[in-house]
Amino acid sequence: MGATVTATDPAALEGAAPLLAGTTLVADAYDCVRGSDAVVLVTEWPCFRELDWHRVAQSVARRIVVDGRNCLDAGLLARLGFAYHSVGRRALLPD
């Protein structure tokens, strides 16, 4: 539908490549989110939970986060200007 998808995973890049045709795979999470319209988290790897969200906020095109694992700090993300969406909880919009 016209979306460009860039993804990363600390353990599965090589194995995922043949399964994700049309997806750009990168090794670094910050490279992954640079210029993105939305950040979608679908795994609970500590390296993603512990991202420097101030840095992420400065590198994305739009501040939208979809937390598919409900493991991020919604309040922090809203304070940084992100629209926070998660599974089974209400959305939290920027302050």
Side-chain angles (χ1 to χ4, degrees), residues 41-71:
L41 182 72
V42 295
T43 182
E44 295 180 41
W45 283 102
C47 60
F48 298 133
R49 289 194 317 261
E50 298 164 3
L51 284 174
D52 177 349
W53 287 96
H54 292 91
R55 180 176 172 188
V56 172
Q58 297 306 309
S59 69
V60 295
R62 295 181 61 203
R63 294 181 183 182
I64 301 170
V65 171
V66 179
D67 182 0
R69 305 301 294 173
N70 294 334
C71 64

Side-chain angles (χ1 to χ4, degrees), residues 26 40 44 57 81 83:
V26 298
V40 180
E44 295 180 41

